[in-house]
Amino acid sequence: MKPTQPMRLGDLLVQSGMITEGQLEEALADKKPQQKLGDVLIQKGFITELQLVEVLEFQLGIPHVSLYNYPFDHSLLKLVPKEFAKRNFVIPLKKEGNKLYVAMADPMDYFVINDLRLSTGFTIEPVIATKSDIIRSLSKLYDMGDFDDEWIENQASLELEDVNLEDEDSPIVKLVNQIIQQAVVHNASDIHIDPQEQKVVIRYRVDGTLRTERILPKSIQDHLLTRIKILANLNITEQRIPQDGRIKMDIDFRKIDLRISTLPTIFGEKIVIRILDFSATVNDITQLGFQKENLDQFMKLIKKPHGIVLITGPTGSGKTSTMYSALNILNKEEFNIITIEDPVEYQIEGVNQIQVNPNVGLTFATGLRAILRQDPNIIMVGEIRDLETAEMAVRASMTGHLVFSTLHTNDSIGTISRLKDLGVEPFLIASSLNGVVSQRLVRKICRDCKQEENASLREKEIFTKYGMTIEKVYRGKGCPTCHMTGYRGRTAIHEVLVVNEKIRQSIMNHAPMTEIQQAAIENGFTFLIEDGLAKVKEGITTTEEILRVVME
């Protein structure tokens, strides 16, 4: 009798209802020769890592393990070299007799199992763990182990002159690398190094919220800050004025760009490191969280031959990502695209990008003036901050160019009054403005611990107020995947104001904002909060998140 063939992963996922036939076909079509199907499905957001691990457990009959708070045997780390473990996503767990239990992201990789068997002399028993779980644990075990309290005390007792801050093997250099590496592993957007009276606090901003990662003794502060300044080519003797710098690094085979900002405080210099991960940038506009109607309207706005499209929202609301993904769509051979930014965050092939430099008189306005002599089709201005830049952008849009820019306002309709406040004439706004997108970022519910529950009375009241009904909502109860927060990853909520003839007339006639708002609603405009509540209904986020970022 022939042994039964195990079912293929894709078929298993379809059969268990986790993905549809269409999603499987799309993933198979996009899969590169060396790529695993599971990785493609995770990348596209069709399944989570935990779901994949559970299906593999069923398919292969290999148990899966959660590494969160796992009691690791540190003596086993010597058996598996750090480089090998990081490259192949493996981590030794325990040994029983001549068996070594190893957590693997891919338990079917027989080459790795064979290498481990030969190098350790043990029989290898694989168990499955999620890739992100393994990466987090590796970073913690192999890198953190070097920095115990005794080591820190020893470093702190050394004078700054006696510490080698240039040598890659120097302990302080390793500590700085490890702080940055941990932040990348946790998908943090910023690292805050906060000097306080008695200690130095290291905090990471993950999914928009800050959390303390570790606390170091005060005596190590100067060593830490000096090393970061050396990396960023800053003046290490200057501690009285703020400084800015950049570092480019390769971390775990990923290209990372770091923006460094120092600020003198009463307890020493505070450093904030903004992490720009090129591999994690979203270039696909469909991944930005636009609802179908809003996406259709936005696509129409960016395909117009001339006029201004503004993207608004507070700092950290994802405006740059939206602007870059729009440029990505328009980035074709027949268009000359020029941007002026402060600073250039991501480099796009085929786009001419200019960095603002006030020290030599290159501001947004002077840069724009020069760009107009370069025969551009599409211009992107990083931000409109003053009347001169606003007027230049308006003039550029009226001479047949498509102009993108950002503005700090709370909503899309408020953008019109903000432009008036800057001093732009209403007739210029009316004739040049195509539309405004306002957006915010909200945290998504962690898909691995998502639970359904009844909507509260307050939630029902909020939904009723906006002409919607709700019975069931979802919340994350907290699990190792999301660090017990119940949230993992972020998405955007939007409102898209398309400036039609009626709104143009209202702007020209100096009409009050309420009249413009009414004209927009008649044109099918949905408010930020309505878009947010629609996402609550779909089970993407929670009501608390929406009310945290949008005022009712």
Side-chain angles (χ1 to χ4, degrees):
M1 210 172 98
K2 278 175 98 174
T4 54
Q5 271 293 99
M7 269 182 87
R8 290 187 312 187
L9 176 68
D11 299 334
L12 251 176
L13 288 166
V14 172
Q15 194 185 331
S16 61
M18 287 185 187
I19 61 171
T20 63
E21 281 283 359
Q23 287 174 326
L24 175 60
E25 281 162 22
E26 187 185 325
L28 286 168
D30 291 357
K31 189 169 95 69
K32 295 183 182 77
Q34 294 300 315
Q35 232 178 347
K36 296 188 174 76
L37 176 64
D39 288 347
V40 181
L41 291 165
I42 290 166
Q43 217 173 344
K44 290 188 161 294
F46 295 156
I47 56 170
T48 68
E49 282 189 276
L50 193 62
Q51 286 172 326
L52 176 67
V53 163
E54 283 166 357
V55 170
L56 285 174
E57 178 179 31
F58 174 73
Q59 185 195 24
L60 307 170
I62 298 174
H64 101 259
V65 63
S66 166
L67 303 179
Y68 189 77
N69 291 341
Y70 187 89
F72 288 100
D73 180 350
H74 288 256
S75 65
L76 297 179
L77 298 179
K78 295 183 183 72
L79 291 174
V80 183
K82 174 168 147 184
E83 286 310 311
F84 181 87
K86 284 191 168 179
R87 196 171 56 247
N88 298 301
F89 304 110
V90 297
I91 194 162
L93 298 177
K94 58 178 181 180
K95 62 177 189 209
E96 284 176 6
N98 69 337
K99 285 182 185 172
L100 179 66
Y101 287 84
V102 178
M104 301 178 72
D106 178 10
M108 300 300 286
D109 194 331
Y110 296 116
F111 293 109
V112 171
I113 292 173
N114 211 24
D115 285 352
L116 283 171
R117 186 174 59 78
L118 292 170
S119 64
T120 62
F122 286 96
T123 306
I124 304 299
E125 287 284 334
V127 295
I128 316 174
T130 64
K131 197 182 268 186
S132 56
D133 219 358
I134 290 176
I135 292 170
R136 272 200 296 264
S137 303
L138 283 173
S139 181
K140 204 162 155 191
L141 291 168
Y142 281 97
D143 300 329
M144 299 273 262
D146 305 340
F147 309 115
D148 54 16
D149 296 342
E150 188 186 338
W151 174 87
I152 286 171
E153 286 304 320
N154 179 27
Q155 283 302 309
S157 63
L158 298 173
E159 289 298 315
L160 194 55
E161 301 82 68
D162 302 333
V163 180
N164 186 346
L165 295 176
E166 300 278 4
D167 180 12
E168 284 302 316
D169 291 328
S170 154
I172 284 289
V173 171
K174 282 182 173 174
L175 177 63
V176 169
N177 290 351
Q178 199 258 322
I179 288 170
I180 295 170
Q181 199 166 4
Q182 282 283 91
V184 173
V185 165
H186 288 292
N187 291 326
S189 59
D190 303 85
I191 304 169
H192 288 241
I193 299 173
D194 294 335
Q196 294 178 7
E197 194 171 1
Q198 307 287 339
K199 58 193 176 190
V200 180
V201 179
I202 312 285
R203 294 188 296 169
Y204 293 163
R205 187 178 291 284
V206 180
D207 289 341
T209 36
L210 273 172
R211 63 161 187 249
T212 300
E213 183 60 25
R214 62 201 299 183
I215 290 168
L216 297 169
K218 183 75 175 170
S219 45
I220 209 167
Q221 178 178 314
D222 289 346
H223 308 47
L224 206 61
L225 301 186
T226 306
R227 170 60 188 166
I228 294 169
K229 284 178 161 184
I230 288 170
L231 278 174
N233 287 325
L234 299 179
N235 181 350
I236 57 172
T237 57
E238 181 56 80
Q239 295 174 357
R240 299 158 304 168
I241 56 169
Q243 297 186 69
D244 290 306
R246 276 189 111 129
I247 307 173
K248 276 189 163 57
M249 281 180 125
D250 279 337
I251 293 177
D252 292 340
F253 318 108
R254 284 151 77 180
K255 282 203 176 331
I256 307 289
D257 203 1
L258 306 168
R259 287 221 314 269
I260 315 295
S261 162
T262 73
L263 186 73
T265 70
I266 52 170
F267 297 124
E269 283 179 290
K270 173 181 167 70
I271 290 190
V272 174
I273 303 174
R274 163 63 59 90
I275 302 171
L276 301 169
D277 180 355
F278 296 115
S279 62
T281 53
V282 179
N283 290 328
D284 182 356
I285 207 155
T286 57
Q287 302 283 310
L288 293 176
F290 275 103
Q291 300 283 22
K292 191 178 178 317
E293 298 79 19
N294 281 345
L295 182 60
D296 291 346
Q297 288 181 324
F298 183 54
M299 292 302 281
K300 278 181 197 153
L301 288 178
I302 67 173
K303 297 267 171 83
K304 289 193 175 178
H306 54 81
I308 296 186
V309 178
L310 292 175
I311 296 167
T312 72
T315 307
S317 59
K319 300 188 294 291
T320 311
S321 295
T322 305
M323 208 148 54
Y324 276 131
S325 45
L327 286 184
N328 238 27
I329 292 172
L330 300 168
N331 189 4
K332 296 191 177 76
E333 182 190 0
E334 59 265 31
F335 291 136
N336 176 19
I337 304 177
I338 306 181
T339 76
I340 178 156
E341 305 167 61
D342 179 23
V344 173
E345 292 203 5
Y346 299 111
Q347 283 137 16
I348 311 175
E349 203 176 330
V351 173
N352 308 287
Q353 294 171 281
I354 304 168
Q355 170 112 13
V356 167
N357 186 352
N359 299 335
V360 294
L362 178 56
T363 62
F364 280 124
T366 52
L368 247 174
R369 212 167 275 129
I371 288 171
L372 287 173
R373 295 193 278 275
Q374 288 276 323
D375 180 33
N377 300 90
I378 298 164
I379 302 168
M380 176 185 123
V381 184
E383 191 185 338
I384 292 178
R385 295 177 185 165
D386 51 43
L387 177 60
E388 194 182 1
T389 312
E391 282 184 335
M392 284 299 302
V394 167
R395 200 174 310 157
S397 72
M398 291 173 79
T399 51
H401 305 94
L402 181 62
V403 180
F404 290 99
S405 190
T406 67
L407 199 64
H408 287 278
T409 59
N410 285 333
D411 56 20
S412 50
I413 293 169
T415 305
I416 295 165
S417 49
R418 175 88 178 96
L419 287 170
K420 287 180 183 171
D421 293 344
L422 278 175
V424 185
E425 291 295 337
F427 74 90
L428 288 176
I429 300 171
S431 50
S432 63
L433 189 64
N434 288 348
V436 184
V437 177
S438 184
Q439 67 177 63
R440 300 284 187 284
L441 288 178
V442 292
R443 292 182 292 171
K444 294 195 287 190
I445 301 167
C446 170
R447 286 163 60 181
D448 291 333
C449 59
K450 186 171 169 179
Q451 287 183 331
E452 188 182 63
E453 51 184 71
N454 292 325
S456 67
L457 195 62
R458 174 86 182 107
E459 281 176 315
K460 286 180 180 174
E461 282 172 8
I462 293 167
F463 273 81
T464 310
K465 186 174 166 186
Y466 291 96
M468 301 173 173
T469 57
I470 188 125
E471 292 304 323
K472 299 281 183 200
V473 291
Y474 294 88
R475 283 189 177 77
K477 72 172 194 294
C479 68
T481 310
C482 61
H483 256 264
M484 298 297 165
T485 57
Y487 295 101
R488 185 158 194 226
R490 289 192 289 177
T491 188
I493 56 173
H494 305 88
E495 58 181 32
V496 181
L497 173 69
V498 178
V499 179
N500 61 5
E501 215 36 61
K502 192 169 181 186
I503 294 174
R504 283 187 209 286
Q505 282 303 322
S506 301
I507 297 170
M508 299 263 270
N509 299 337
H510 298 265
M513 281 300 128
T514 47
E515 189 180 306
I516 294 171
Q517 190 170 313
Q518 196 49 46
I521 293 168
E522 286 166 18
N523 197 26
F525 174 80
T526 53
F527 289 96
L528 263 176
I529 192 158
E530 292 174 319
D531 189 38
L533 294 178
K535 286 191 168 72
V536 172
K537 213 165 172 169
E538 287 173 41
I540 295 170
T541 185
T542 60
T543 320
E544 294 85 7
E545 267 300 285
I546 301 302
L547 296 180
R548 182 176 69 83
V549 298
V550 184
M551 297 217 290
E552 265 196 88

